[in-house]
Amino acid sequence: MSRDTSNDPNNVVDRTQAEDPAGWLVLTQNDSAAKIIDALIKKKVRREMNKSEIADISGVSRQSVLNHIDLLIEIGVLDKVQRTKPQRYQFNLDSDVCKAVTRLDAAMHSDGIDSVEEGMLLEPFDSRDN
């Protein structure tokens, strides 16, 4: 059983992770951003969308889209469509992030992981457990 060490000032792993998180952690630290990317990849959306349409497609709130739109643009998942009002966005399936997530999805499916059932998730790793 792991214990929460996130507030332990002596835990170098947690401090380093917070200061310089891996790309995977940045992408998945908020469930909504991951859901948006997952839905756009699975549906291979090729049309322009506004924030409300992105929310509808991904099943998250419009507020969640607002909270994460800058990150999604910064990592290349979404591109702003120029001279549109209200602002519209184009999904970039060819971005490095989308390609990596697509490869991860394929790897998970090839290993027989088609869905996550309740209880399948592992406890967070604590380096002091070893």
Side-chain angles (χ1 to χ4, degrees):
M1 180 112 195
S2 66
R3 68 180 185 89
D4 182 10
T5 60
S6 58
N7 294 322
D8 182 349
N10 298 316
N11 190 335
V12 176
V13 172
D14 286 345
R15 282 197 330 254
T16 301
Q17 190 174 27
E19 293 166 4
D20 186 26
W24 171 250
L25 184 60
V26 170
L27 185 61
T28 61
Q29 69 185 345
N30 187 291
D31 192 40
S32 296
K35 283 182 179 181
I36 292 167
I37 294 169
D38 183 65
L40 293 173
I41 287 174
K42 286 186 177 169
K43 295 178 182 184
K44 295 184 172 110
V45 179
R46 290 293 187 189
R47 63 183 173 83
E48 296 177 3
M49 306 160 282
N50 63 30
K51 292 174 186 135
S52 294
E53 291 168 318
I54 294 169
D56 290 343
I57 289 167
S58 58
V60 303
S61 70
R62 188 172 188 282
Q63 184 61 49
S64 290
V65 173
L66 290 171
N67 291 342
H68 304 296
I69 197 85
D70 290 338
L71 171 66
L72 297 172
I73 292 167
E74 183 179 335
I75 63 175
V77 171
L78 291 175
D79 296 318
K80 284 185 176 182
V81 178
Q82 298 302 313
R83 296 180 293 281
T84 57
K85 212 163 194 145
Q87 181 65 60
R88 298 188 69 75
Y89 304 88
Q90 182 73 44
F91 175 52
N92 182 3
L93 187 59
D94 296 324
S95 73
D96 289 341
V97 170
C98 289
K99 288 178 182 179
V101 171
T102 301
R103 283 192 307 271
L104 175 61
D105 186 52
M108 294 294 287
H109 288 294
S110 72
D111 286 341
I113 308 292
D114 290 329
S115 64
V116 178
E117 296 175 14
E118 189 174 335
M120 268 183 74
L121 297 178
L122 301 175
E123 290 184 29
F125 174 74
D126 185 342
S127 61
R128 294 190 296 191
D129 286 346
N130 293 329

